[in-house]
C-alpha cells in the first residue's frame, strides 16, 4: 500500500489484530501500518446497494423461475433454502468479513491469509475478464430493444418487416391460427434475425461480421461503466442509488400488470405447484446448489473488493444476512412477474403453460416476455420500463465485476497505479470492449454461450472451494473467528464455524463432482456445438484455474531454504494490522 511505514509492536498492544494463537507469538514483529487514506464508502447504503446490485442480476429474473418450475415448483424451495442456509450465505458472509478485515483486493489479500494460494486472486481476475467479454453484450442487446421500443407500434408485433420469413406467425388477437413446429413468432424473428442475425452465421466456424448496431450499443454501455467507476466507490456508490433501486420499482409495476392479465393464475399455479417426488432426484439438489451459489456470487472477488472499503467495525454479519435475504426474495418475486405473463401467453395461444415456458436463458427475456408485452394495452410503456430494468440489472453486476479487478490490481501494485486510477480503468474498459467484439458478430450468441459455460462454470466453483479450504484449514478457523471478533466484538457462533470448515466446502465439492459426472450437451438455437469448440471451452476454463498451481510452484521455487522451511513460509500469513493509523496520541485503531 502507498505511504506505509513499519513499526515495532509488542504483544497484545495490537488491539484490532487477532489474539495470540497458533501461528502468532509475542515477540516483536514488524507490522505494516496503513496510514494512507484508502477510499471509503460515503454512506452505508452505498455499500449495501452496491452488493445488492451485484448479487441481483439478470439471472434472478429468468434463471430462478425456470429452475424452480423445472425442478418441482414449490417443492424446489426446500432444497433452495437449505443450500442457501448451509452453503451460499456462509460463503457470502466469509467474503464480506475477509474483505473488511484485510482491506485489500482479491490478489494481495492472500499474503495475509496463505501466500501460496495467491494464484486464486489472479484466477479470479481472469474469470472476471471473461464475464465482461460476454455479459455486457447481453446488456447491449437490451439497449437495442430499449431503443426499438420508442415506437407507437413495437417492431416485434407483426410479420410485415424486412427481416420476417414465411414462417412468421402472429396469433395474438386472431382466431383459428395454426401453430406448428415451424411457426415462429414475430418476437422470435425480431430477436434471431434483426438483433442477432444468427441466420447469417453457420456457427462458431463462421461467425460472420460485426453488427454495427450492437457495436454502438456496447460502446455506450462501456462509456457509462467507465464514468461510473473512474473515480472509485465515491462515484459508483452514487450511481447504484438509481441502478439498484429502479429494478424493484419496475418489478412491482410488472407484477401488478401481470396479475391482471387473463390466464395469469395458470402461470402462478404452474410455477408453485409442488411436485414432491422431484426431491428424490439428485439433479434437483445440484440445481439448487448451483443457483444459490451463482446468485449470491462468492468467489468473483466482488464481495472482497466492495467490503474492503468499509469501516473496520462495520457489522458485516448483518450486511450478509440482509443482502442475502433481499437477493433470494427478489428471485422468488421475479417468478411471479415471469409466470403471470407466461400464463397469459398460454391463454392466448390456447396451449399449456409448459409449452410456452420451454424457452429459457436470454430467450425468455428477449423473446417470450417482449412478445407478451407487445400485446398488452400500453405496450410501448411496458417495453421501455422492462428493458430499462434489464439494463440497470446488468450494469450493477458489471460495476461489481470490474471493481473486483480494479481493486485487486491496484492493491497489488499501489506504487504504480495509486495515482493513475482513471487511466487504469480506461485501459481495462478498452480491453473488455475489444474482448467483446467477437460476441457482436452474426454468430456472437454462440460465443456468448461458450464463454458463459466454460469461462465461469466449474472454474469459479473450484476456486471458491480452494478459497474456503485455505481460509478454514490453512489460515485457521480460530484465527478467522478472532478476526471477526476484533471487528464486531463477538465471535461467530458454532453454526458458522461448522459451515466454513465442513459444510460449505462439501457443498462446493458436491456441485463440482455432479457437474463433472453429468456433462450436458451444449446447444443453442438448434445448433449443436462441435467437439473442437468444447475443447476450446475447456482451454478457456483451464486458462484461469491454471494460475493457482503455477503460482504455487513459483512461490516454492523462489522462496529460500529447505523444502520444509519453504512450505512453512508459503503457508504462514504475514502478520498485518488492518486499518491502523498513527494519530497525535500514538497508535490507535480507526473507529
Amino acid at each position: 500500500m502507498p505511504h506505509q511505514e513499519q513499526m515495532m509492536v509488542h504483544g497484545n498492544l495490537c488491539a484490532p489484530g487477532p489474539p495470540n494463537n497458533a501461528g502468532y507469538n509475542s515477540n516483536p514483529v514488524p507490522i505494516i501500518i496503513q496510514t494512507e487514506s484508502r477510499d471509503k464508502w460515503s454512506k452505508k447504503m452505498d455499500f449495501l446497494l452496491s452488493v445488492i446490485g451485484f448479487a441481483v442480476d439478470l439471472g434472478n429474473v429468468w434463471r430462478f423461475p425456470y429452475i424452480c418450475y423445472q425442478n418441482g415448483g414449490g417443492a424446489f424451495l426446500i432444497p433452495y433454502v437449505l443450500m442457501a442456509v448451509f452453503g451460499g450465505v456462509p460463503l457470502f458472509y466469509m467474503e464480506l468479513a475477509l474483505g473488511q478485515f484485510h482491506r485489500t483486493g482479491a490478489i494481495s489479500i492472500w499474503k495475509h491469509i496463505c501466500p501460496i494460494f495467491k494464484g486464486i486472486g489472479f484466477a479470479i481476475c481472469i474469470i472476471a475478464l471473461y464475464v465482461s467479454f460476454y455479459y455486457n453484450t447481453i446488456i447491449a442487446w437490451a439497449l437495442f430493444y430499449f431503443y426499438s421500443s420508442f415506437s407507437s407500434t413495437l417492431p416485434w408485433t407483426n410479420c410485415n418487416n424486412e427481416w420476417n420469413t414465411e414462417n412468421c406467425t402472429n396469433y395474438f388477437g386472431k382466431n383459428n391460427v395454426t401453430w406448428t413446429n415451424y411457426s415462429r413468432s414475430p418476437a422470435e424473428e425480431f430477436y434471431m434475425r434483426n438483433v442477432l442475425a444468427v441466420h447469417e452465421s453457420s456457427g462458431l466456424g463462421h461467425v460472420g461480421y460485426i453488427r454495427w448496431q450492437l457495436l454502438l450499443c456496447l460502446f455506450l454501455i462501456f462509456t457509462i461503466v467507465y464514468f461510473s467507476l473512474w473515480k472509485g466507490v465515491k462515484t459508483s456508490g452514487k450511481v447504484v442509488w438509481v441502478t439498484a433501486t429502479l429494478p424493484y420499482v419496475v418489478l412491482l409495476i410488472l407484477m401488478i400488470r401481470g396479475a391482471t392479465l387473463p390466464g395469469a393464475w395458470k402461470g402462478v399455479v404452474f410455477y408453485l405447484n409442488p411436485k414432491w417426488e422431484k426431491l428424490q432426484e439428485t439433479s434437483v439438489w445440484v440445481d439448487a446448489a448451483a443457483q444459490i451459489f451463482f446468485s449470491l456470487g462468492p468467489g468473483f472477488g466482488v464481495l472482497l473488493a466492495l467490503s474492503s472499503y468499509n469501516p473496520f467495525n462495520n457489522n458485516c454479519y448483518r450486511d450478509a444476512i440482509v443482502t442475502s435475504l433481499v437477493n433470494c426474495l427478489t428471485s422468488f418475486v421475479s417468478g411471479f412477474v415471469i409466470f403471470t405473463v407466461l400464463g397469459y401467453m398460454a391463454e392466448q395461444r390456447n396451449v399449456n403453460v409448459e409449452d410456452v415456458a420451454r424457452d429459457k436463458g436470454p430467450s425468455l427475456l428477449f423473446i417470450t416476455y417482449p412478445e407478451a408485452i407487445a400485446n398488452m394495452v400500453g405496450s410501448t410503456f411496458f417495453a421501455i420500463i422492462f428493458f430499462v430494468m434489464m439494463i440497470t440489472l446488468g450494469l450493477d453486476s458489471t460495476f461489481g465485476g470490474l471493481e473486483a479487478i480494479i481493486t485487486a490490481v491496484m492493491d497489488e501494485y499501489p506504487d504504480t497505479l495509486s495515482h493513475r486510477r482513471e487511466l487504469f480503468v480506461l485501459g481495462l474498459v478498452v480491453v473488455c470492449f475489444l474482448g467483446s467484439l467477437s460476441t457482436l458478430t452474426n454468430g456472437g450468441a454462440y460465443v456468448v454461450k461458450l464463454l458463459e459455460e466454460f469461462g465461469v462454470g466449474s472454474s469459479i466453483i473450484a476456486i471458491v472451494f480452494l478459497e474456503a479450504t485455505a481460509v478454514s484449514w490453512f489460515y485457521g478457523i480460530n484465527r478467522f473467528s478472532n478476526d471477526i471478533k476484533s471487528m464486531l466484538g463477538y465471535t461467530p457462533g458454532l453454526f458458522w464455524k461448522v459451515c466454513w470448515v465442513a459444510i460449505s466446502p462439501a457443498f462446493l465439492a458436491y456441485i463440482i463432482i455432479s457437474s463433472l459426472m453429468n456433462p450436458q450437451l451444449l446447444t443453442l438455437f438448434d445448433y449443436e456445438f462441435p467437439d473442437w469448440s468444447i475443447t476450446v471451452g475447456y482451454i478457456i476454463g483451464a486458462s484461469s484455474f491454471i494460475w493457482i498451481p503455477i503460482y504455487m510452484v513459483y512461490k516454492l521455487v523462489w522462496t529460500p531454504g529447505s523444502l520444509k522451511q519453504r512450505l512453512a513460509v508459503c503457508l504462514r500469513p504475514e502478520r498485518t494490522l488492518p486499518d491502523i493509523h498513527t494519530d497525535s496520541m500514538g497508535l490507535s485503531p480507526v473507529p
Side-chain angles (χ1 to χ4, degrees):
M1 308 299 292
H3 312 299
Q4 292 174 340
E5 58 184 272
Q6 285 194 341
M7 300 183 64
M8 300 299 290
V9 183
H10 293 261
N12 57 12
L13 177 64
C14 312
N20 294 338
N21 58 14
Y24 288 92
N25 57 64
S26 58
N27 296 325
V29 292
I31 304 295
I32 298 179
I33 306 299
Q34 298 183 9
T35 58
E36 93 288 356
S37 54
R38 181 180 175 83
D39 206 1
K40 291 182 175 63
W41 296 103
S42 299
K43 298 177 181 178
K44 175 65 175 287
M45 281 302 296
D46 293 358
F47 165 71
L48 290 177
L49 289 175
S50 295
V51 173
I52 291 172
F54 161 71
V56 178
D57 66 352
L58 295 174
N60 292 73
V61 178
W62 70 262
R63 195 172 190 276
F64 177 83
Y66 177 82
I67 292 293
C68 188
Y69 96 76
Q70 186 185 47
N71 290 288
F76 178 74
L77 296 177
I78 294 176
Y80 179 77
V81 170
L82 289 175
M83 290 298 179
V85 170
F86 292 101
V89 177
L91 293 169
F92 193 87
Y93 178 23
M94 171 184 280
E95 285 215 351
L96 288 183
L98 285 172
Q100 183 172 304
F101 183 83
H102 295 287
R103 293 184 56 75
T104 187
I107 297 176
S108 50
I109 194 173
W110 288 99
K111 68 182 179 183
H112 309 317
I113 299 175
C114 190
I116 200 170
F117 284 99
K118 191 175 181 179
I120 290 177
F122 294 108
I124 287 173
C125 290
I126 293 173
I127 288 176
L129 272 179
Y130 289 152
V131 172
S132 72
F133 290 166
Y134 75 84
Y135 193 80
N136 293 286
T137 297
I138 298 176
I139 308 174
W141 297 345
L143 184 58
F144 187 99
Y145 270 86
F146 174 71
Y147 171 78
S148 302
S149 299
F150 285 91
S151 171
S152 56
T153 302
L154 296 175
W156 57 87
T157 58
N158 58 72
C159 298
N160 302 323
N161 305 289
E162 59 182 358
W163 57 81
N164 291 129
T165 67
E166 64 276 6
N167 292 322
C168 184
T169 305
N170 190 1
Y171 57 89
F172 276 89
K174 297 181 180 181
N175 297 319
N176 301 322
V177 175
T178 303
W179 188 265
T180 69
N181 291 332
Y182 298 100
S183 299
R184 297 291 181 266
S185 68
E188 183 175 353
E189 292 207 340
F190 178 82
Y191 176 58
M192 299 284 289
R193 300 180 64 85
N194 188 42
V195 179
L196 302 181
V198 173
H199 62 287
E200 297 181 14
S201 167
S202 59
L204 286 172
H206 178 70
V207 293
Y209 301 102
I210 292 176
R211 308 260 306 145
W212 66 267
Q213 302 95 326
L214 296 180
L215 185 68
L216 290 177
C217 290
L218 189 67
F219 179 80
L220 180 57
I221 293 295
F222 274 116
T223 301
I224 295 172
V225 169
Y226 174 71
F227 286 108
S228 299
L229 295 176
W230 69 324
K231 293 294 185 181
V233 295
K234 293 284 195 264
T235 53
S236 62
K238 298 296 180 290
V239 175
V240 294
W241 279 83
V242 176
T243 57
T245 57
L246 185 59
Y248 289 96
V249 176
V250 176
L251 279 174
L252 179 62
I253 294 172
L254 293 176
M255 185 167 65
I256 294 172
R257 181 67 183 103
T260 63
L261 294 172
W265 63 273
K266 292 182 180 179
V268 174
V269 170
F270 186 78
Y271 173 43
L272 294 180
N273 183 34
K275 304 178 184 67
W276 302 109
E277 66 278 5
K278 282 280 190 177
L279 297 182
Q280 300 176 16
E281 299 178 13
T282 304
S283 61
V284 173
W285 295 83
V286 174
D287 284 345
Q291 172 62 25
I292 193 65
F293 172 81
F294 284 109
S295 181
L296 291 176
F300 288 88
V302 179
L303 303 177
L304 290 173
L306 297 180
S307 61
S308 72
Y309 299 108
N310 274 333
F312 185 74
N313 335 32
N314 174 65
N315 194 334
C316 55
Y317 169 71
R318 183 176 57 200
D319 294 345
I321 299 300
V322 170
T323 51
S324 298
L325 280 175
V326 170
N327 178 276
C328 295
L329 287 174
T330 303
S331 296
F332 182 65
V333 171
S334 296
F336 291 97
V337 174
I338 295 296
F339 274 90
T340 52
V341 168
L342 294 182
Y344 165 64
M345 291 185 64
E347 180 92 353
Q348 297 300 310
R349 286 190 187 182
N350 197 25
V351 296
N352 294 324
V353 178
E354 186 174 6
D355 295 327
V356 180
R358 287 179 300 177
D359 290 331
K360 59 179 179 177
S363 296
L364 187 62
L365 299 180
F366 292 108
I367 298 177
T368 312
Y369 208 90
E371 182 178 329
I373 288 175
N375 293 276
M376 296 179 186
V377 177
S379 59
T380 297
F381 168 74
F382 287 109
I384 290 172
I385 64 170
F386 177 71
F387 290 111
V388 165
M389 179 188 73
M390 288 181 59
I391 293 168
T392 53
L393 284 172
L395 284 174
D396 284 333
S397 297
T398 292
F399 294 158
L402 293 185
E403 186 61 57
I405 302 175
I406 295 165
T407 301
V409 176
M410 290 189 65
D411 285 346
E412 181 66 9
Y413 306 103
D415 295 334
T416 306
L417 300 174
S418 60
H419 301 295
R420 300 181 178 88
R421 179 183 174 100
E422 293 91 343
L423 189 60
F424 174 65
V425 174
L426 178 61
L428 176 63
V429 168
V430 169
V431 168
C432 294
F433 180 77
L434 295 176
S436 304
L437 292 181
S438 62
T439 65
L440 305 177
T441 57
N442 303 128
Y446 304 129
V447 181
V448 169
K449 183 69 173 179
L450 191 71
L451 287 172
E452 184 183 15
E453 289 290 325
F454 294 101
V456 187
S458 298
S459 298
I460 192 67
I461 302 174
I463 284 170
V464 183
F465 173 78
L466 290 177
E467 178 185 306
T469 303
V471 172
S472 300
W473 292 93
F474 290 90
Y475 185 66
I477 195 63
N478 290 331
R479 182 182 293 165
F480 179 54
S481 298
N482 285 328
D483 292 348
I484 294 177
K485 183 179 180 180
S486 68
M487 294 187 293
L488 306 184
Y490 53 86
T491 304
L494 180 63
F495 167 79
W496 298 105
K497 294 180 181 179
V498 172
C499 284
W500 290 328
V501 169
I503 299 179
S504 294
F507 156 86
L508 294 168
Y510 177 63
I511 303 176
I512 296 170
I513 294 171
S514 299
S515 61
L516 292 176
M517 291 181 63
N518 301 290
Q520 300 295 316
L521 186 67
L522 196 60
T523 60
L524 182 69
F525 306 142
D526 299 325
Y527 170 74
E528 185 175 327
F529 284 64
D531 292 339
W532 67 264
S533 68
I534 304 299
T535 303
V536 171
Y538 283 122
I539 293 173
I540 292 173
S543 65
S544 57
F545 188 81
I546 194 67
W547 288 102
I548 300 175
I550 287 177
Y551 187 84
M552 287 180 173
V553 173
Y554 162 80
K555 187 69 176 176
L556 286 172
V557 168
W558 287 98
T559 300
S562 64
L563 180 59
K564 184 177 180 180
Q565 291 171 330
R566 294 179 184 186
L567 283 172
V569 171
C570 293
L571 295 174
R572 184 176 64 243
E574 297 178 12
R575 188 182 178 193
T576 59
L577 200 57
D579 236 345
I580 296 296
H581 74 287
T582 304
D583 61 16
S584 57
M585 300 298 293
L587 185 67
S588 65
V590 173

